[in-house]
Amino acid sequence: MLSFYFLESGIGWTVLGAMTALVLGGIGSALGIATAAGQGAGVLSEKPNLFGKVFLLILLPGTQGLYGMVFAFLVMTFTGISTDIAAANQMTVGIGGALGIVGVTLGLVLLLSAKYQGQTSAAAINLVAKKEDQFGRGIILPALVETYAVFGLLVAILMLNWLLIGGQTIVG
């Protein structure tokens, strides 16, 4: 069975890439949120009136997990894994391997950007705790880190499109 999915068709590599993006994005989001939430809890213990602003800063690193899920859903939809397994089983090893690499690469981008966005969010929480009127500037800092997760997702979607739709074919 493993031989078919990884050596005779590309479906195994495709699923591995999609799941890697999902899992690493989720792990990164959990790490980032934990970092920001740890800082936020300390601030809220002394300034509970900042809950709304602090909550938003804590929430920001959670988007990378969503990006991994979006990529996994797009892979399942575009390849037919979720609707037409017979067609998906015809995917070449080359295309499946390329999709696997795209997913692993995206997963690494999501993992690291969420981790560092959590650290940046924690710093922004400290800024808001000291100068509440600086919330607008504070939210820009973790948003800058978010940019690279968005770039990673965009490139992954473009690669998915190029591999499966733009002149390529699933059936080899």
Side-chain angles (χ1 to χ4, degrees):
M1 185 168 185
L2 285 177
S3 174
F4 173 76
Y5 286 122
F6 289 95
L7 301 176
E8 297 173 32
S9 82
I11 194 168
W13 299 113
T14 301
V15 170
L16 183 67
M19 292 308 298
T20 301
L22 176 70
V23 168
L24 291 181
I27 290 170
S29 286
L31 291 171
I33 288 171
T35 300
Q39 191 65 45
V43 167
L44 292 174
S45 70
E46 298 202 13
K47 296 185 176 184
N49 60 309
L50 292 178
F51 178 78
K53 292 176 180 179
V54 168
F55 178 72
L56 184 58
L57 289 166
I58 291 170
L59 189 63
L60 285 176
T63 56
Q64 283 84 340
L66 294 173
Y67 297 159
M69 185 177 67
V70 165
F71 179 74
F73 283 159
L74 289 174
V75 167
M76 290 178 359
T77 301
F78 286 170
T79 62
I81 291 171
S82 61
T83 56
D84 188 0
I85 196 69
N89 282 338
Q90 299 299 312
M91 185 184 320
T92 66
V93 174
I95 290 177
L99 287 172
I101 291 169
V102 170
V104 168
T105 305
L106 175 61
L108 290 171
V109 169
L110 297 177
L111 171 70
L112 293 174
S113 68
K115 178 182 182 255
Y116 291 117
Q117 188 176 31
Q119 293 173 358
T120 309
S121 289
I125 289 168
N126 280 334
L127 172 64
V128 171
K130 292 178 182 175
K131 296 186 177 192
E132 188 176 346
D133 63 322
Q134 296 298 307
F135 175 72
R137 289 183 176 155
I139 202 165
I140 290 171
L141 303 174
L144 291 171
V145 181
E146 176 87 19
T147 304
Y148 294 94
V150 173
F151 289 164
L153 177 62
L154 177 61
V155 170
I157 290 170
L158 291 172
M159 292 300 294
L160 178 67
N161 183 60
W162 178 73
L163 286 166
L164 298 178
I165 298 171
Q168 298 293 321
T169 179
I170 292 175
V171 180

